[in-house]
Amino acid sequence: MASKLGNDLKGLLRSIGYLADQIDTVEAAARIKSNIWFRGPNVWILAFSIIIASVGLNVNSTAVIIGAMLISPLMGPIIGVGLALGTNDTETLRQSALNLIVMVLISLLASSLYFLISPLELANPTELAARTHPTIYDVLIAFFGGLAGILESTRKEKGTVLSGVAIATALMPPLCTAGYGLANGNWRFFVGATFLFVINGIFIILATYIMVQVLGFHKVEYTDSRQDNRRRALMVALTIAVIVPSVLSAIHVIRENNFERSVKSFVASNKTFSKGYIYDYNIDGLSAEIFVVGAALDPETEELLMASAERHGLQRDQIKIKEHSFGTDRETSEQVLRTLNERAEAEIVRKDGEIKRLERQIDALRGEEIPYAQIAREVKYQFPAIKDITISRGASVSTDSLKVRNYTQVLATTGKEMRRSEVVELQNWLQIRLADSTVVVNNLVKK
């Protein structure tokens, strides 16, 4: 019985993941090759996407940047490189690489020119800054996005997956950010954004290469055995050249990500210590500067900080404590005080906003309060037969649709049953009196 159940489960899983009758690798290969060229419509589409991405980054508009991701033709030659590596097709590899290089150079030059002549300058360019520091998530997104992209390319029935892949594996925005770095001489932006683009491109190529192997794309065969061996050696070398940097960059990004988390944890745990205070920190690669203020650090306190850093997974040579003691340097002390005041003011503004939000909620609740005693007096004057009145707010939920309907329930207790017209009159009056059209009145008879 257990064996049959296991076989049935295996069969079910196999049928769910079965792809052979839903993909066409021949048509997919032809379609990918047709999209690698930088000519005709692709030239204009690239130009448009550069302008859209640059403007979106310049005005901090996420929606505009997403539009540039969707129309960018950069994905074509990148997937073409992965296909060529997986099928030993040196000609496609050469054409894909050449077209990709041309597209990248034009994107860098055009975006640099845009930012040189653009009159707009943001005080806090968050969209630009967001594309200068790759994380492990960028690696995962590029890799799995590449897997989804090549799988969608082979599918007989096309869906909207490629649009999602284009958004997830952003290619044009990092290039335009690198162009911004070139135009402004900001090498941190240029290097960081270029690294993000390289990560995205390499992992899309790696994912395409893997899926081409798994899906069994037709490989190019050469009649000359010596030429075939040379081409195969070239393809192996290039494949290694793609895989090795992929692994190294992933390791580097993971280390930086873990280091940043460790620094944040260390700072949070040691925000205040002895007679000092950590008021800021700066991370550069795998090293961090910790800015402290207060009384001069004695060797014992500094050793305690370093021991705490080690407990958070940091090495001593990765941490540099920059100490600012009040009174020793007037300019530095004033700078520290300004920083502390700015943070305090920002926290006060945040708390004031929270207080106002809570006050609005309280006012709203007070507005919904029912003046029970006053209502009872008015009811007794207008409907003397009512001995007791119960008012409660509640909700009814349909068990079929699960639709919730809020209402106010009123229970009027009398010695004998009220006429229907009296119940309706009371209900209409209460709806006006309470400014609540959901009031429902029921009559309870107690003799």
Side-chain angles (χ1 to χ4, degrees):
M1 180 67 179
S3 176
K4 183 178 183 303
L5 181 61
N7 291 333
D8 290 343
L9 182 59
K10 288 180 182 178
L12 175 62
L13 294 175
R14 192 178 295 113
S15 65
I16 291 174
Y18 188 67
L19 295 172
D21 60 346
Q22 299 181 47
I23 63 173
D24 187 343
T25 57
V26 175
E27 182 186 346
R31 189 183 308 109
I32 292 170
K33 291 177 183 179
S34 68
N35 288 329
I36 67 175
W37 301 101
F38 182 57
R39 62 189 180 198
N42 275 354
V43 175
W44 295 99
I45 293 172
L46 180 70
F48 300 151
S49 66
I50 292 169
I51 295 171
I52 293 171
S54 298
V55 172
L57 291 167
N58 203 187
V59 299
N60 260 3
S61 173
T62 304
V64 174
I65 295 169
I66 289 174
M69 296 177 191
L70 282 170
I71 67 175
S72 169
L74 282 167
M75 185 74 77
I78 290 176
I79 292 181
V81 171
L83 172 70
L85 290 175
T87 58
N88 299 324
D89 190 344
T90 53
E91 180 61 25
T92 299
L93 176 63
R94 186 179 69 83
Q95 294 293 345
S96 298
L98 180 62
N99 283 277
L100 177 59
I101 291 170
V102 171
M103 286 185 180
V104 169
L105 291 177
I106 289 176
S107 299
L108 282 173
L109 292 174
S111 58
S112 297
L113 179 62
Y114 168 83
F115 284 109
L116 278 173
I117 64 176
S118 173
L120 299 174
E121 185 174 348
L122 293 173
N124 185 26
T126 54
E127 291 294 340
L128 285 164
R131 288 162 177 84
T132 60
H133 189 66
T135 67
I136 185 58
Y137 302 112
D138 295 301
V139 173
L140 295 174
I141 290 168
F143 181 72
F144 287 101
L147 293 177
I150 186 63
L151 187 58
E152 173 66 13
S153 297
T154 63
R155 213 163 62 158
K156 293 178 180 178
E157 296 182 5
K158 296 293 176 286
T160 59
V161 174
L162 286 177
S163 299
V165 172
I167 295 173
T169 58
L171 295 168
M172 185 55 72
L175 272 183
C176 291
T177 302
Y180 170 86
L182 277 178
N184 292 274
N186 190 328
W187 300 112
R188 183 176 69 84
F189 271 50
F190 174 75
V191 173
T194 302
F195 186 37
L196 176 57
F197 174 78
V198 170
I199 282 178
N200 286 346
I202 283 179
F203 278 91
I204 291 170
I205 291 171
L206 179 62
T208 303
Y209 171 81
I210 292 172
M211 287 302 290
V212 165
Q213 299 289 331
V214 171
L215 297 176
F217 276 66
H218 175 73
K219 294 188 177 182
V220 176
E221 301 291 342
Y222 300 99
T223 55
D224 187 338
S225 59
R226 286 181 299 178
Q227 185 183 18
D228 187 24
N229 290 335
R230 285 197 300 269
R231 290 177 182 270
R232 286 183 183 276
L234 174 63
M235 300 305 290
V236 169
L238 289 173
T239 302
I240 293 173
V242 169
I243 293 175
V244 171
S246 302
V247 174
L248 293 178
S249 62
I251 292 172
H252 176 74
V253 169
I254 291 171
R255 288 183 65 195
E256 282 196 342
N257 189 64
N258 290 339
F259 178 76
E260 185 175 350
R261 287 195 307 172
S262 297
V263 171
K264 288 181 179 179
S265 176
F266 164 72
V267 170
S269 299
N270 296 276
K271 198 70 177 176
T272 57
F273 61 90
S274 184
K275 298 179 181 179
Y277 176 78
I278 297 178
Y279 72 92
D280 204 358
Y281 65 93
N282 180 50
I283 297 175
D284 184 12
L286 294 177
S287 62
E289 291 179 324
I290 307 298
F291 301 99
V292 302
V293 66
L297 285 180
D298 55 70
E300 183 180 353
T301 303
E302 188 170 352
E303 176 60 28
L304 288 174
L305 286 174
M306 286 300 182
S308 176
E310 289 180 337
R311 287 195 298 273
H312 286 84
L314 303 171
Q315 298 177 11
R316 292 180 179 240
D317 59 356
Q318 293 178 310
I319 298 296
K320 184 177 181 181
I321 297 177
K322 287 202 168 185
E323 182 181 358
H324 300 309
S325 299
F326 287 117
T328 59
D329 183 338
R330 181 176 178 181
E331 184 178 349
T332 301
S333 298
E334 289 177 352
Q335 179 183 354
V336 171
L337 284 172
R338 279 197 300 271
T339 302
L340 293 174
N341 286 335
E342 288 172 1
R343 293 191 173 207
E345 288 173 1
E347 183 64 16
I348 289 171
V349 169
R350 187 189 67 80
K351 289 185 176 179
D352 283 345
E354 184 68 14
I355 289 170
K356 288 179 180 178
R357 185 182 66 80
L358 293 173
E359 285 177 345
R360 286 195 296 270
Q361 290 183 353
I362 291 171
D363 289 341
L365 290 173
R366 284 174 177 169
E368 294 178 358
E369 286 183 357
I370 297 174
Y372 297 101
Q374 181 62 28
I375 292 293
R377 283 193 292 269
E378 293 175 11
V379 166
K380 182 173 179 60
Y381 177 77
Q382 297 185 66
F383 302 90
I386 296 178
K387 298 178 180 179
D388 182 81
I389 186 168
T390 303
I391 306 174
S392 61
R393 297 189 188 276
S396 64
V397 183
S398 169
T399 55
D400 294 328
S401 64
L402 299 182
K403 184 178 180 180
V404 178
R405 184 178 66 86
N406 294 316
Y407 70 99
T408 300
Q409 173 76 35
V410 177
L411 187 64
T413 304
T414 56
K416 63 178 182 178
E417 186 174 357
M418 297 175 65
R419 295 192 302 272
R420 178 58 187 167
S421 60
E422 291 178 323
V423 173
V424 171
E425 182 184 353
L426 175 61
Q427 180 171 292
N428 291 339
W429 175 78
L430 285 171
Q431 286 179 351
I432 296 171
R433 178 64 178 81
L434 298 176
D436 184 355
S437 61
T438 68
V439 172
V440 176
V441 174
N442 290 299
N443 179 214
L444 174 65
V445 180
K446 277 188 178 181
K447 296 184 179 179

